[in-house]
Amino acid sequence: MKKRSKHWWPLIVAVFHLMFIGHAAIVHAQKGMGKPCEHYKLDIDYSVHCLDLSATVFFLNPDADLTVPITYEWDFGDGNGTAQTNPPGLYTHLVNYSYGATGSYTVTVTVSYLVDQGGGNTISCSQELQIDIDPSEPVAHFTSTAGVCSGLTIDFTNASKYADSYLWDFGDGVGTSTQEDPSYTYGSAGTYSVTLTATDAAGCEDETMIDILVEEAPVADFDYEGGGCGSSTVNFTDFTVDAISWAWDFGDQASSTQQ
C-alpha cells in the first residue's frame, strides 16, 4: 500500500491559524466600536417639588470593560444646562435643578463616552422626559395703608394666590402674624421691611417684601391769651411738633386751618 504524504498538515494548520487570527481581529474590532446605542437603556427617576427638579439617570448595560469616564449632559428645557463627567464604572448620576418659573419643560439627558481614547470616537445615547412645574405655585402679594404715623394701626390686605397659610413678619423684630389680613401698630417711627410668606398645602412657598415708612406722629400743643366777657378776642399760639397742617375747631362751629 502506498503511504500518503504528511506534508499537507502544516498547510492546514497554517490556514486554520490565519482563520483564527482573522476571526479574533474581527471580534476585537467589533468590540472596540462598542454596542449600538439602542442596546443601551437609560432609566430616569425624578421628582418635582415646587420649582425644584431632582433627577437620577441610570446608564444600564454598559460594556463590561468600560474603563473610560462617562459624561452626563442635561438640557433642562429652559435654556440652561449642565454637564458632569463620572469616573469609570460609575453608571448613575444625580442632578438637582431649580426653575425660575412654572410651566412645562422637556428635559433631555445625553450619556456619552469614548470608544477609543486615541481616535476620539464616541457613543452617545439620549432620553427625554416631560415635566410640569405646577402652574398653581403660591404667589405672595399684599398692600397696606399709606401715610402711617407711629402709634396708629396699619391695615394689611393679602392679595396672594394659590396659598393656604400665611406668615407675616412686620420687620421690627417683635411683631408676627399668621392671619390672612392682619393689622399692626408700630411704636416708633422708621422704615420697616414687612415680609409675607405664602405657603400651599404641598409646602411650596413664595415670599414678598415691602418697605413701610412710619412717620413720627405730631404732638399737638397750643396756648392762648385773652378772652373774657362778650366778644373779646382770643389769641391762640401753636406749639405743635412735627406738623405740616392744622385744623382748628373753636367749639362754636367756627374753624381754621392756619397754624
Side-chain angles (χ1 to χ4, degrees), residues 11-133:
L11 179 61
I12 294 176
V13 172
V15 172
F16 180 80
H17 183 65
L18 288 174
M19 291 176 61
F20 180 80
I21 293 176
H23 175 72
I26 293 173
V27 171
H28 178 73
Q30 290 175 342
K31 191 174 184 179
M33 292 303 294
K35 298 179 182 178
C37 188
E38 58 266 22
H39 289 181
Y40 292 96
K41 184 179 180 182
L42 302 181
D43 275 355
I44 302 177
D45 285 345
Y46 74 97
S47 62
V48 175
H49 180 70
C50 305
L51 296 176
D52 299 326
L53 167 68
S54 179
T56 302
V57 59
F58 300 90
F59 180 38
L60 306 180
N61 305 323
D63 288 329
D65 59 350
L66 185 57
T67 59
V68 295
I70 303 174
T71 299
Y72 296 83
E73 297 185 27
W74 294 84
D75 181 345
F76 298 108
D78 62 348
N80 295 318
T82 184
Q84 181 174 337
T85 301
N86 283 7
L90 185 57
Y91 303 134
T92 63
H93 180 65
L94 170 67
V95 66
N96 293 302
Y97 184 72
S98 295
Y99 285 92
T102 60
S104 295
Y105 300 93
T106 299
V107 179
T108 305
V109 58
T110 301
V111 179
S112 305
Y113 71 90
L114 284 172
V115 175
D116 53 338
Q117 298 191 50
N121 296 318
T122 62
I123 283 183
S124 297
C125 304
S126 297
Q127 184 163 322
E128 294 182 351
L129 63 94
Q130 198 75 26
I131 65 168
D132 293 318
I133 302 298

Side-chain angles (χ1 to χ4, degrees), residues 133-147:
I133 302 298
D134 189 358
S136 60
E137 293 287 326
V139 179
H141 182 64
F142 70 92
T143 59
S144 67
T145 52

Side-chain angles (χ1 to χ4, degrees), residues 235-256:
N235 296 316
F236 295 93
T237 302
D238 175 52
F239 296 105
T240 301
V241 178
D242 295 326
I244 59 174
S245 64
W246 295 260
W248 296 85
D249 183 344
F250 299 113
D252 60 351
Q253 297 185 345
S255 62
S256 174

Side-chain angles (χ1 to χ4, degrees), residues 137-221:
E137 293 287 326
V139 179
H141 182 64
F142 70 92
T143 59
S144 67
T145 52
V148 178
C149 297
S150 59
L152 298 180
T153 298
I154 303 176
D155 295 322
F156 294 92
T157 302
N158 192 335
S160 300
K161 296 180 179 180
Y162 314 121
D164 297 284
S165 62
Y166 309 95
L167 176 61
W168 297 82
D169 184 335
F170 298 112
D172 61 351
V174 178
T176 61
S177 176
T178 56
Q179 296 180 5
E180 184 172 349
D181 298 297
S183 298
Y184 192 68
T185 302
Y186 289 95
S188 59
T191 300
Y192 299 93
S193 297
V194 179
T195 302
L196 169 61
T197 303
T199 307
D200 68 6
C204 302
E205 296 181 349
D206 188 42
E207 182 180 287
T208 188
M209 183 180 68
I210 297 178
D211 287 338
I212 302 295
L213 176 62
V214 178
E215 302 283 359
E216 191 71 55
V219 179
D221 188 22

